[in-house]
Amino acid sequence: MTDTGPGSRAVKLEPGWRDALAAEFESDYMENLRGFLLQEKSRGKRIFPAGENIFNALNSTPLDKVKLVILGQDPYHGPGQAHGLCFSVLPGVDVPPSLQNIYKELREDVGFKAPGHGYLQFWAEQGVLLLNAVLTVEAHKAGSHQGEGWERFTDRIVHILNEQRQNLVFLLWGAYAQKKGAFIDGHRHLVLKSPHPSPLSASRGFFGNRHFSRANAYLIETGQQPIDWQLPESAVIMQEREDIESVHENEGVHE
């Protein structure tokens, strides 16, 4: 399979994001990040997620389709977990504790019934951008790729959304996400903040925040389709969108 991460020369990206982020891929910091990832791989280190999933959040939720943004921090660092969407894990993997708490709040807030999986692709396909601040990690080493350039790249993504879109919902859970999103225009968008859903902090204000119903109320108020938060009981790996496949075959971004 072709490597589609920044460690390769051709980044395959949804056209709207590709155009909006073209200057980033030409920048010195992204060249340095590419070099870092290539060096880590040459040393035999295992990196998650797989190359084709590094930009899954952007490829699953096109720039002009984003309705809601959830900011995470790092990809999961265990085998088979990360696939490029924050808080989400691949089918067949145990639901992580933070996501279990998200499910609990959804149940109390909107009557959600927890499925037997933690695969959130269904949300991403509806316009929920599930964006981590750092898009790669070394196996079994949490935070190992922090400070290598990803934070600058994802800051730019949030800036683009803040400036080019209107009436988005941003869910900022925990101090890290709130700091990253501190510049978001609260008059132009709805910004909802609470503690992180981690077991260490969920009881200090994540539970009871009702962010999911509040987000949908705002979307309806601004003339948008609300998010169907209820995940399918059966998690099936969805086929890539036809436009993404077209980009993979014919276009790409070449640095």
Side-chain angles (χ1 to χ4, degrees):
M1 183 174 290
T2 301
D3 186 356
T4 57
S8 71
R9 283 288 164 183
V11 174
K12 310 305 192 294
L13 210 56
E14 184 275 326
W17 284 117
R18 178 198 64 200
D19 294 344
L21 293 165
E24 303 305 302
F25 287 105
E26 298 293 336
S27 67
D28 290 342
Y29 83 86
M30 191 58 87
E31 182 68 28
N32 292 336
L33 175 57
R34 181 188 302 110
F36 166 76
L37 292 173
L38 287 171
Q39 183 179 58
E40 293 295 279
K41 292 175 72 174
S42 72
R43 292 173 174 172
K45 294 184 178 180
R46 193 175 181 190
I47 295 173
F48 297 133
E52 67 270 16
N53 283 330
I54 290 174
F55 298 110
N56 189 26
L58 302 180
N59 284 334
S60 296
T61 313
L63 174 56
D64 64 349
K65 302 298 183 185
V66 176
K67 297 179 183 178
L68 184 148
V69 182
I70 299 177
L71 292 180
Q73 188 167 351
D74 269 341
Y76 296 116
H77 54 85
Q81 291 183 302
H83 66 111
L85 305 181
C86 73
F87 293 105
S88 180
V89 292
L90 287 166
V93 177
D94 290 342
V95 179
S98 290
L99 185 54
Q100 291 181 33
N101 286 338
I102 291 171
Y103 284 178
K104 289 177 183 177
E105 177 57 24
L106 277 162
R107 181 188 65 207
E108 296 302 314
D109 188 13
V110 298
F112 177 88
K113 296 180 180 179
H117 63 83
Y119 187 57
L120 306 182
Q121 190 76 29
F122 180 65
W123 293 354
E125 294 287 335
Q126 295 182 71
V128 179
L129 182 65
L130 296 163
L131 182 68
N132 275 318
V134 177
L135 300 189
T136 57
V137 69
E138 183 183 342
H140 308 298
K141 292 188 177 181
S144 51
H145 289 186
Q146 291 179 7
E148 298 295 341
W150 281 128
E151 293 92 340
R152 182 172 172 181
F153 179 76
T154 54
D155 280 351
R156 182 59 190 148
I157 291 171
V158 180
H159 273 285
I160 288 169
L161 290 166
N162 181 53
E163 296 162 1
Q164 297 186 15
R165 297 294 312 281
Q166 195 160 353
N167 297 329
L168 300 181
V169 180
F170 290 86
L171 303 187
L172 307 182
W173 298 334
Y176 186 93
Q178 289 162 25
K179 181 179 179 181
K180 189 173 184 68
F183 61 85
I184 297 168
D185 186 347
H187 298 290
R188 188 179 179 90
H189 307 285
L190 176 64
V191 181
L192 299 177
K193 303 176 183 179
S194 83
H196 194 275
S198 161
L200 299 175
S201 57
S203 62
R204 298 202 296 265
F206 177 79
F207 291 138
N209 67 22
R210 301 202 174 276
H211 280 185
F212 306 101
S213 61
R214 291 167 67 186
N216 272 351
Y218 177 81
L219 291 174
I220 293 169
E221 181 183 315
T222 53
Q224 302 177 75
Q225 188 73 18
I227 304 300
D228 178 5
W229 294 111
Q230 184 59 56
L231 294 165
E233 179 57 40
S234 178
V236 177
I237 299 291
M238 299 182 181
Q239 295 296 315
E240 290 181 309
R241 303 164 62 95
E242 290 183 2
D243 56 348
I244 302 303
E245 290 178 343
S246 176
V247 173
H248 280 207
E249 292 170 1
N250 302 318
E251 299 182 24
V253 175
H254 297 274
E255 293 86 59

mmCIF file with all atom_site columns, all heavy atoms in Angstrom, residues 86-109:
data_model
loop_
_atom_site.group_PDB
_atom_site.id
_atom_site.type_symbol
_atom_site.label_atom_id
_atom_site.label_alt_id
_atom_site.label_comp_id
_atom_site.label_asym_id
_atom_site.label_entity_id
_atom_site.label_seq_id
_atom_site.pdbx_PDB_ins_code
_atom_site.Cartn_x
_atom_site.Cartn_y
_atom_site.Cartn_z
_atom_site.occupancy
_atom_site.B_iso_or_equiv
_atom_site.pdbx_formal_charge
_atom_site.auth_seq_id
_atom_site.auth_comp_id
_atom_site.auth_asym_id
_atom_site.auth_atom_id
_atom_site.pdbx_PDB_model_num
ATOM 1   N N   . CYS A 1 86  ? -9.847  11.413 16.433 1.00 0.00 ? 86  CYS A N   1
ATOM 2   C CA  . CYS A 1 86  ? -9.660  11.488 17.885 1.00 0.00 ? 86  CYS A CA  1
ATOM 3   C C   . CYS A 1 86  ? -10.788 10.759 18.618 1.00 0.00 ? 86  CYS A C   1
ATOM 4   O O   . CYS A 1 86  ? -11.951 10.776 18.184 1.00 0.00 ? 86  CYS A O   1
ATOM 5   C CB  . CYS A 1 86  ? -9.533  12.937 18.351 1.00 0.00 ? 86  CYS A CB  1
ATOM 6   S SG  . CYS A 1 86  ? -11.040 13.921 18.339 1.00 0.00 ? 86  CYS A SG  1
ATOM 7   N N   . PHE A 1 87  ? -10.429 10.110 19.700 1.00 0.00 ? 87  PHE A N   1
ATOM 8   C CA  . PHE A 1 87  ? -11.307 9.336  20.580 1.00 0.00 ? 87  PHE A CA  1
ATOM 9   C C   . PHE A 1 87  ? -11.811 8.036  19.952 1.00 0.00 ? 87  PHE A C   1
ATOM 10  O O   . PHE A 1 87  ? -12.394 7.196  20.636 1.00 0.00 ? 87  PHE A O   1
ATOM 11  C CB  . PHE A 1 87  ? -12.509 10.164 21.077 1.00 0.00 ? 87  PHE A CB  1
ATOM 12  C CG  . PHE A 1 87  ? -12.137 11.286 21.991 1.00 0.00 ? 87  PHE A CG  1
ATOM 13  C CD1 . PHE A 1 87  ? -12.143 12.599 21.543 1.00 0.00 ? 87  PHE A CD1 1
ATOM 14  C CD2 . PHE A 1 87  ? -11.762 11.045 23.307 1.00 0.00 ? 87  PHE A CD2 1
ATOM 15  C CE1 . PHE A 1 87  ? -11.788 13.650 22.381 1.00 0.00 ? 87  PHE A CE1 1
ATOM 16  C CE2 . PHE A 1 87  ? -11.406 12.080 24.159 1.00 0.00 ? 87  PHE A CE2 1
ATOM 17  C CZ  . PHE A 1 87  ? -11.417 13.393 23.691 1.00 0.00 ? 87  PHE A CZ  1
ATOM 18  N N   . SER A 1 88  ? -11.618 7.834  18.657 1.00 0.00 ? 88  SER A N   1
ATOM 19  C CA  . SER A 1 88  ? -12.163 6.680  17.952 1.00 0.00 ? 88  SER A CA  1
ATOM 20  C C   . SER A 1 88  ? -11.141 5.552  17.855 1.00 0.00 ? 88  SER A C   1
ATOM 21  O O   . SER A 1 88  ? -9.938  5.803  17.737 1.00 0.00 ? 88  SER A O   1
ATOM 22  C CB  . SER A 1 88  ? -12.575 7.116  16.545 1.00 0.00 ? 88  SER A CB  1
ATOM 23  O OG  . SER A 1 88  ? -13.125 6.035  15.809 1.00 0.00 ? 88  SER A OG  1
ATOM 24  N N   . VAL A 1 89  ? -11.631 4.326  17.892 1.00 0.00 ? 89  VAL A N   1
ATOM 25  C CA  . VAL A 1 89  ? -10.771 3.149  17.690 1.00 0.00 ? 89  VAL A CA  1
ATOM 26  C C   . VAL A 1 89  ? -11.393 2.260  16.622 1.00 0.00 ? 89  VAL A C   1
ATOM 27  O O   . VAL A 1 89  ? -12.595 2.306  16.362 1.00 0.00 ? 89  VAL A O   1
ATOM 28  C CB  . VAL A 1 89  ? -10.560 2.335  18.987 1.00 0.00 ? 89  VAL A CB  1
ATOM 29  C CG1 . VAL A 1 89  ? -9.726  3.113  19.987 1.00 0.00 ? 89  VAL A CG1 1
ATOM 30  C CG2 . VAL A 1 89  ? -11.902 1.912  19.596 1.00 0.00 ? 89  VAL A CG2 1
ATOM 31  N N   . LEU A 1 90  ? -10.553 1.448  16.014 1.00 0.00 ? 90  LEU A N   1
ATOM 32  C CA  . LEU A 1 90  ? -11.021 0.544  14.974 1.00 0.00 ? 90  LEU A CA  1
ATOM 33  C C   . LEU A 1 90  ? -11.940 -0.531 15.550 1.00 0.00 ? 90  LEU A C   1
ATOM 34  O O   . LEU A 1 90  ? -11.855 -0.868 16.743 1.00 0.00 ? 90  LEU A O   1
ATOM 35  C CB  . LEU A 1 90  ? -9.824  -0.103 14.281 1.00 0.00 ? 90  LEU A CB  1
ATOM 36  C CG  . LEU A 1 90  ? -9.034  0.812  13.342 1.00 0.00 ? 90  LEU A CG  1
ATOM 37  C CD1 . LEU A 1 90  ? -7.695  0.183  12.984 1.00 0.00 ? 90  LEU A CD1 1
ATOM 38  C CD2 . LEU A 1 90  ? -9.836  1.124  12.087 1.00 0.00 ? 90  LEU A CD2 1
ATOM 39  N N   . PRO A 1 91  ? -12.838 -1.067 14.725 1.00 0.00 ? 91  PRO A N   1
ATOM 40  C CA  . PRO A 1 91  ? -13.707 -2.164 15.185 1.00 0.00 ? 91  PRO A CA  1
ATOM 41  C C   . PRO A 1 91  ? -12.896 -3.325 15.725 1.00 0.00 ? 91  PRO A C   1
ATOM 42  O O   . PRO A 1 91  ? -11.813 -3.639 15.237 1.00 0.00 ? 91  PRO A O   1
ATOM 43  C CB  . PRO A 1 91  ? -14.463 -2.553 13.904 1.00 0.00 ? 91  PRO A CB  1
ATOM 44  C CG  . PRO A 1 91  ? -14.430 -1.337 13.043 1.00 0.00 ? 91  PRO A CG  1
ATOM 45  C CD  . PRO A 1 91  ? -13.111 -0.680 13.323 1.00 0.00 ? 91  PRO A CD  1
ATOM 46  N N   . GLY A 1 92  ? -13.424 -3.961 16.756 1.00 0.00 ? 92  GLY A N   1
ATOM 47  C CA  . GLY A 1 92  ? -12.754 -5.096 17.368 1.00 0.00 ? 92  GLY A CA  1
ATOM 48  C C   . GLY A 1 92  ? -11.834 -4.733 18.508 1.00 0.00 ? 92  GLY A C   1
ATOM 49  O O   . GLY A 1 92  ? -11.292 -5.614 19.181 1.00 0.00 ? 92  GLY A O   1
ATOM 50  N N   . VAL A 1 93  ? -11.648 -3.420 18.745 1.00 0.00 ? 93  VAL A N   1
ATOM 51  C CA  . VAL A 1 93  ? -10.795 -2.934 19.831 1.00 0.00 ? 93  VAL A CA  1
ATOM 52  C C   . VAL A 1 93  ? -11.680 -2.492 20.990 1.00 0.00 ? 93  VAL A C   1
ATOM 53  O O   . VAL A 1 93  ? -12.750 -1.908 20.777 1.00 0.00 ? 93  VAL A O   1
ATOM 54  C CB  . VAL A 1 93  ? -9.917  -1.763 19.340 1.00 0.00 ? 93  VAL A CB  1
ATOM 55  C CG1 . VAL A 1 93  ? -9.085  -1.195 20.478 1.00 0.00 ? 93  VAL A CG1 1
ATOM 56  C CG2 . VAL A 1 93  ? -9.022  -2.216 18.201 1.00 0.00 ? 93  VAL A CG2 1
ATOM 57  N N   . ASP A 1 94  ? -11.263 -2.766 22.212 1.00 0.00 ? 94  ASP A N   1
ATOM 58  C CA  . ASP A 1 94  ? -12.039 -2.349 23.380 1.00 0.00 ? 94  ASP A CA  1
ATOM 59  C C   . ASP A 1 94  ? -12.258 -0.843 23.374 1.00 0.00 ? 94  ASP A C   1
ATOM 60  O O   . ASP A 1 94  ? -11.368 -0.066 23.006 1.00 0.00 ? 94  ASP A O   1
ATOM 61  C CB  . ASP A 1 94  ? -11.315 -2.738 24.673 1.00 0.00 ? 94  ASP A CB  1
ATOM 62  C CG  . ASP A 1 94  ? -11.300 -4.241 24.906 1.00 0.00 ? 94  ASP A CG  1
ATOM 63  O OD1 . ASP A 1 94  ? -12.113 -4.955 24.277 1.00 0.00 ? 94  ASP A OD1 1
ATOM 64  O OD2 . ASP A 1 94  ? -10.467 -4.708 25.712 1.00 0.00 ? 94  ASP A OD2 1
ATOM 65  N N   . VAL A 1 95  ? -13.437 -0.421 23.806 1.00 0.00 ? 95  VAL A N   1
ATOM 66  C CA  . VAL A 1 95  ? -13.754 1.002  23.887 1.00 0.00 ? 95  VAL A CA  1
ATOM 67  C C   . VAL A 1 95  ? -12.911 1.627  24.994 1.00 0.00 ? 95  VAL A C   1
ATOM 68  O O   . VAL A 1 95  ? -12.982 1.200  26.147 1.00 0.00 ? 95  VAL A O   1
ATOM 69  C CB  . VAL A 1 95  ? -15.252 1.221  24.175 1.00 0.00 ? 95  VAL A CB  1
ATOM 70  C CG1 . VAL A 1 95  ? -15.565 2.711  24.291 1.00 0.00 ? 95  VAL A CG1 1
ATOM 71  C CG2 . VAL A 1 95  ? -16.101 0.589  23.076 1.00 0.00 ? 95  VAL A CG2 1
ATOM 72  N N   . PRO A 1 96  ? -12.083 2.634  24.682 1.00 0.00 ? 96  PRO A N   1
ATOM 73  C CA  . PRO A 1 96  ? -11.216 3.250  25.697 1.00 0.00 ? 96  PRO A CA  1
ATOM 74  C C   . PRO A 1 96  ? -12.033 3.966  26.788 1.00 0.00 ? 96  PRO A C   1
ATOM 75  O O   . PRO A 1 96  ? -13.182 4.351  26.556 1.00 0.00 ? 96  PRO A O   1
ATOM 76  C CB  . PRO A 1 96  ? -10.386 4.261  24.895 1.00 0.00 ? 96  PRO A CB  1
ATOM 77  C CG  . PRO A 1 96  ? -10.474 3.797  23.476 1.00 0.00 ? 96  PRO A CG  1
ATOM 78  C CD  . PRO A 1 96  ? -11.841 3.198  23.345 1.00 0.00 ? 96  PRO A CD  1
ATOM 79  N N   . PRO A 1 97  ? -11.444 4.145  27.961 1.00 0.00 ? 97  PRO A N   1
ATOM 80  C CA  . PRO A 1 97  ? -12.174 4.749  29.084 1.00 0.00 ? 97  PRO A CA  1
ATOM 81  C C   . PRO A 1 97  ? -12.774 6.128  28.789 1.00 0.00 ? 97  PRO A C   1
ATOM 82  O O   . PRO A 1 97  ? -13.913 6.402  29.186 1.00 0.00 ? 97  PRO A O   1
ATOM 83  C CB  . PRO A 1 97  ? -11.118 4.821  30.190 1.00 0.00 ? 97  PRO A CB  1
ATOM 84  C CG  . PRO A 1 97  ? -10.181 3.698  29.878 1.00 0.00 ? 97  PRO A CG  1
ATOM 85  C CD  . PRO A 1 97  ? -10.115 3.645  28.393 1.00 0.00 ? 97  PRO A CD  1
ATOM 86  N N   . SER A 1 98  ? -12.035 7.005  28.120 1.00 0.00 ? 98  SER A N   1
ATOM 87  C CA  . SER A 1 98  ? -12.576 8.340  27.833 1.00 0.00 ? 98  SER A CA  1
ATOM 88  C C   . SER A 1 98  ? -13.797 8.250  26.926 1.00 0.00 ? 98  SER A C   1
ATOM 89  O O   . SER A 1 98  ? -14.782 8.972  27.119 1.00 0.00 ? 98  SER A O   1
ATOM 90  C CB  . SER A 1 98  ? -11.511 9.233  27.189 1.00 0.00 ? 98  SER A CB  1
ATOM 91  O OG  . SER A 1 98  ? -10.503 9.572  28.118 1.00 0.00 ? 98  SER A OG  1
ATOM 92  N N   . LEU A 1 99  ? -13.747 7.363  25.946 1.00 0.00 ? 99  LEU A N   1
ATOM 93  C CA  . LEU A 1 99  ? -14.891 7.206  25.056 1.00 0.00 ? 99  LEU A CA  1
ATOM 94  C C   . LEU A 1 99  ? -16.062 6.561  25.782 1.00 0.00 ? 99  LEU A C   1
ATOM 95  O O   . LEU A 1 99  ? -17.226 6.899  25.517 1.00 0.00 ? 99  LEU A O   1
ATOM 96  C CB  . LEU A 1 99  ? -14.491 6.389  23.822 1.00 0.00 ? 99  LEU A CB  1
ATOM 97  C CG  . LEU A 1 99  ? -15.560 6.228  22.737 1.00 0.00 ? 99  LEU A CG  1
ATOM 98  C CD1 . LEU A 1 99  ? -16.116 7.582  22.288 1.00 0.00 ? 99  LEU A CD1 1
ATOM 99  C CD2 . LEU A 1 99  ? -15.011 5.453  21.538 1.00 0.00 ? 99  LEU A CD2 1
ATOM 100 N N   . GLN A 1 100 ? -15.785 5.661  26.712 1.00 0.00 ? 100 GLN A N   1
ATOM 101 C CA  . GLN A 1 100 ? -16.870 5.114  27.535 1.00 0.00 ? 100 GLN A CA  1
ATOM 102 C C   . GLN A 1 100 ? -17.596 6.228  28.270 1.00 0.00 ? 100 GLN A C   1
ATOM 103 O O   . GLN A 1 100 ? -18.833 6.217  28.374 1.00 0.00 ? 100 GLN A O   1
ATOM 104 C CB  . GLN A 1 100 ? -16.313 4.100  28.532 1.00 0.00 ? 100 GLN A CB  1
ATOM 105 C CG  . GLN A 1 100 ? -15.807 2.806  27.926 1.00 0.00 ? 100 GLN A CG  1
ATOM 106 C CD  . GLN A 1 100 ? -15.300 1.839  28.988 1.00 0.00 ? 100 GLN A CD  1
ATOM 107 O OE1 . GLN A 1 100 ? -15.821 1.808  30.105 1.00 0.00 ? 100 GLN A OE1 1
ATOM 108 N NE2 . GLN A 1 100 ? -14.292 1.055  28.653 1.00 0.00 ? 100 GLN A NE2 1
ATOM 109 N N   . ASN A 1 101 ? -16.845 7.210  28.765 1.00 0.00 ? 101 ASN A N   1
ATOM 110 C CA  . ASN A 1 101 ? -17.468 8.330  29.471 1.00 0.00 ? 101 ASN A CA  1
ATOM 111 C C   . ASN A 1 101 ? -18.230 9.249  28.510 1.00 0.00 ? 101 ASN A C   1
ATOM 112 O O   . ASN A 1 101 ? -19.267 9.823  28.882 1.00 0.00 ? 101 ASN A O   1
ATOM 113 C CB  . ASN A 1 101 ? -16.415 9.115  30.246 1.00 0.00 ? 101 ASN A CB  1
ATOM 114 C CG  . ASN A 1 101 ? -15.954 8.384  31.488 1.00 0.00 ? 101 ASN A CG  1
ATOM 115 O OD1 . ASN A 1 101 ? -16.666 7.520  32.009 1.00 0.00 ? 101 ASN A OD1 1
ATOM 116 N ND2 . ASN A 1 101 ? -14.771 8.711  31.980 1.00 0.00 ? 101 ASN A ND2 1
ATOM 117 N N   . ILE A 1 102 ? -17.725 9.399  27.284 1.00 0.00 ? 102 ILE A N   1
ATOM 118 C CA  . ILE A 1 102 ? -18.474 10.147 26.272 1.00 0.00 ? 102 ILE A CA  1
ATOM 119 C C   . ILE A 1 102 ? -19.811 9.452  26.017 1.00 0.00 ? 102 ILE A C   1
ATOM 120 O O   . ILE A 1 102 ? -20.861 10.104 25.938 1.00 0.00 ? 102 ILE A O   1
ATOM 121 C CB  . ILE A 1 102 ? -17.646 10.267 24.979 1.00 0.00 ? 102 ILE A CB  1
ATOM 122 C CG1 . ILE A 1 102 ? -16.444 11.203 25.208 1.00 0.00 ? 102 ILE A CG1 1
ATOM 123 C CG2 . ILE A 1 102 ? -18.502 10.775 23.820 1.00 0.00 ? 102 ILE A CG2 1
ATOM 124 C CD1 . ILE A 1 102 ? -15.440 11.212 24.062 1.00 0.00 ? 102 ILE A CD1 1
ATOM 125 N N   . TYR A 1 103 ? -19.779 8.142  25.917 1.00 0.00 ? 103 TYR A N   1
ATOM 126 C CA  . TYR A 1 103 ? -21.017 7.384  25.720 1.00 0.00 ? 103 TYR A CA  1
ATOM 127 C C   . TYR A 1 103 ? -21.984 7.577  26.892 1.00 0.00 ? 103 TYR A C   1
ATOM 128 O O   . TYR A 1 103 ? -23.199 7.687  26.692 1.00 0.00 ? 103 TYR A O   1
ATOM 129 C CB  . TYR A 1 103 ? -20.695 5.888  25.566 1.00 0.00 ? 103 TYR A CB  1
ATOM 130 C CG  . TYR A 1 103 ? -20.115 5.470  24.237 1.00 0.00 ? 103 TYR A CG  1
ATOM 131 C CD1 . TYR A 1 103 ? -19.754 4.141  24.006 1.00 0.00 ? 103 TYR A CD1 1
ATOM 132 C CD2 . TYR A 1 103 ? -19.928 6.371  23.192 1.00 0.00 ? 103 TYR A CD2 1
ATOM 133 C CE1 . TYR A 1 103 ? -19.229 3.719  22.789 1.00 0.00 ? 103 TYR A CE1 1
ATOM 134 C CE2 . TYR A 1 103 ? -19.397 5.968  21.971 1.00 0.00 ? 103 TYR A CE2 1
ATOM 135 C CZ  . TYR A 1 103 ? -19.050 4.641  21.785 1.00 0.00 ? 103 TYR A CZ  1
ATOM 136 O OH  . TYR A 1 103 ? -18.531 4.227  20.577 1.00 0.00 ? 103 TYR A OH  1
ATOM 137 N N   . LYS A 1 104 ? -21.450 7.603  28.115 1.00 0.00 ? 104 LYS A N   1
ATOM 138 C CA  . LYS A 1 104 ? -22.314 7.802  29.286 1.00 0.00 ? 104 LYS A CA  1
ATOM 139 C C   . LYS A 1 104 ? -23.003 9.160  29.240 1.00 0.00 ? 104 LYS A C   1
ATOM 140 O O   . LYS A 1 104 ? -24.194 9.280  29.535 1.00 0.00 ? 104 LYS A O   1
ATOM 141 C CB  . LYS A 1 104 ? -21.484 7.678  30.568 1.00 0.00 ? 104 LYS A CB  1
ATOM 142 C CG  . LYS A 1 104 ? -21.018 6.268  30.884 1.00 0.00 ? 104 LYS A CG  1
ATOM 143 C CD  . LYS A 1 104 ? -20.146 6.239  32.136 1.00 0.00 ? 104 LYS A CD  1
ATOM 144 C CE  . LYS A 1 104 ? -19.606 4.846  32.412 1.00 0.00 ? 104 LYS A CE  1
ATOM 145 N NZ  . LYS A 1 104 ? -18.688 4.821  33.593 1.00 0.00 ? 104 LYS A NZ  1
ATOM 146 N N   . GLU A 1 105 ? -22.255 10.199 28.864 1.00 0.00 ? 105 GLU A N   1
ATOM 147 C CA  . GLU A 1 105 ? -22.852 11.529 28.768 1.00 0.00 ? 105 GLU A CA  1
ATOM 148 C C   . GLU A 1 105 ? -23.873 11.584 27.634 1.00 0.00 ? 105 GLU A C   1
ATOM 149 O O   . GLU A 1 105 ? -24.930 12.206 27.774 1.00 0.00 ? 105 GLU A O   1
ATOM 150 C CB  . GLU A 1 105 ? -21.760 12.591 28.578 1.00 0.00 ? 105 GLU A CB  1
ATOM 151 C CG  . GLU A 1 105 ? -22.286 14.005 28.389 1.00 0.00 ? 105 GLU A CG  1
ATOM 152 C CD  . GLU A 1 105 ? -23.173 14.503 29.512 1.00 0.00 ? 105 GLU A CD  1
ATOM 153 O OE1 . GLU A 1 105 ? -23.074 14.001 30.654 1.00 0.00 ? 105 GLU A OE1 1
ATOM 154 O OE2 . GLU A 1 105 ? -23.986 15.422 29.259 1.00 0.00 ? 105 GLU A OE2 1
ATOM 155 N N   . LEU A 1 106 ? -23.573 10.955 26.526 1.00 0.00 ? 106 LEU A N   1
ATOM 156 C CA  . LEU A 1 106 ? -24.537 10.888 25.426 1.00 0.00 ? 106 LEU A CA  1
ATOM 157 C C   . LEU A 1 106 ? -25.836 10.209 25.856 1.00 0.00 ? 106 LEU A C   1
ATOM 158 O O   . LEU A 1 106 ? -26.925 10.634 25.479 1.00 0.00 ? 106 LEU A O   1
ATOM 159 C CB  . LEU A 1 106 ? -23.919 10.128 24.248 1.00 0.00 ? 106 LEU A CB  1
ATOM 160 C CG  . LEU A 1 106 ? -23.017 10.919 23.308 1.00 0.00 ? 106 LEU A CG  1
ATOM 161 C CD1 . LEU A 1 106 ? -22.138 9.981  22.485 1.00 0.00 ? 106 LEU A CD1 1
ATOM 162 C CD2 . LEU A 1 106 ? -23.854 11.805 22.379 1.00 0.00 ? 106 LEU A CD2 1
ATOM 163 N N   . ARG A 1 107 ? -25.704 9.146  26.635 1.00 0.00 ? 107 ARG A N   1
ATOM 164 C CA  . ARG A 1 107 ? -26.894 8.439  27.114 1.00 0.00 ? 107 ARG A CA  1
ATOM 165 C C   . ARG A 1 107 ? -27.772 9.357  27.957 1.00 0.00 ? 107 ARG A C   1
ATOM 166 O O   . ARG A 1 107 ? -28.988 9.437  27.764 1.00 0.00 ? 107 ARG A O   1
ATOM 167 C CB  . ARG A 1 107 ? -26.478 7.212  27.940 1.00 0.00 ? 107 ARG A CB  1
ATOM 168 C CG  . ARG A 1 107 ? -27.650 6.387  28.472 1.00 0.00 ? 107 ARG A CG  1
ATOM 169 C CD  . ARG A 1 107 ? -27.154 5.330  29.435 1.00 0.00 ? 107 ARG A CD  1
ATOM 170 N NE  . ARG A 1 107 ? -26.571 5.935  30.627 1.00 0.00 ? 107 ARG A NE  1
ATOM 171 C CZ  . ARG A 1 107 ? -25.625 5.376  31.382 1.00 0.00 ? 107 ARG A CZ  1
ATOM 172 N NH1 . ARG A 1 107 ? -25.125 4.194  31.048 1.00 0.00 ? 107 ARG A NH1 1
ATOM 173 N NH2 . ARG A 1 107 ? -25.175 5.979  32.455 1.00 0.00 ? 107 ARG A NH2 1
ATOM 174 N N   . GLU A 1 108 ? -27.154 10.085 28.888 1.00 0.00 ? 108 GLU A N   1
ATOM 175 C CA  . GLU A 1 108 ? -27.918 10.983 29.756 1.00 0.00 ? 108 GLU A CA  1
ATOM 176 C C   . GLU A 1 108 ? -28.450 12.195 28.998 1.00 0.00 ? 108 GLU A C   1
ATOM 177 O O   . GLU A 1 108 ? -29.524 12.717 29.324 1.00 0.00 ? 108 GLU A O   1
ATOM 178 C CB  . GLU A 1 108 ? -27.039 11.450 30.922 1.00 0.00 ? 108 GLU A CB  1
ATOM 179 C CG  . GLU A 1 108 ? -26.602 10.343 31.855 1.00 0.00 ? 108 GLU A CG  1
ATOM 180 C CD  . GLU A 1 108 ? -27.778 9.603  32.469 1.00 0.00 ? 108 GLU A CD  1
ATOM 181 O OE1 . GLU A 1 108 ? -28.734 10.294 32.925 1.00 0.00 ? 108 GLU A OE1 1
ATOM 182 O OE2 . GLU A 1 108 ? -27.768 8.356  32.484 1.00 0.00 ? 108 GLU A OE2 1
ATOM 183 N N   . ASP A 1 109 ? -27.704 12.630 27.989 1.00 0.00 ? 109 ASP A N   1
ATOM 184 C CA  . ASP A 1 109 ? -28.046 13.857 27.271 1.00 0.00 ? 109 ASP A CA  1
ATOM 185 C C   . ASP A 1 109 ? -29.076 13.631 26.174 1.00 0.00 ? 109 ASP A C   1
ATOM 186 O O   . ASP A 1 109 ? -30.068 14.362 26.075 1.00 0.00 ? 109 ASP A O   1
ATOM 187 C CB  . ASP A 1 109 ? -26.767 14.464 26.685 1.00 0.00 ? 109 ASP A CB  1
ATOM 188 C CG  . ASP A 1 109 ? -26.966 15.848 26.089 1.00 0.00 ? 109 ASP A CG  1
ATOM 189 O OD1 . ASP A 1 109 ? -28.023 16.477 26.336 1.00 0.00 ? 109 ASP A OD1 1
ATOM 190 O OD2 . ASP A 1 109 ? -26.056 16.315 25.389 1.00 0.00 ? 109 ASP A OD2 1
#
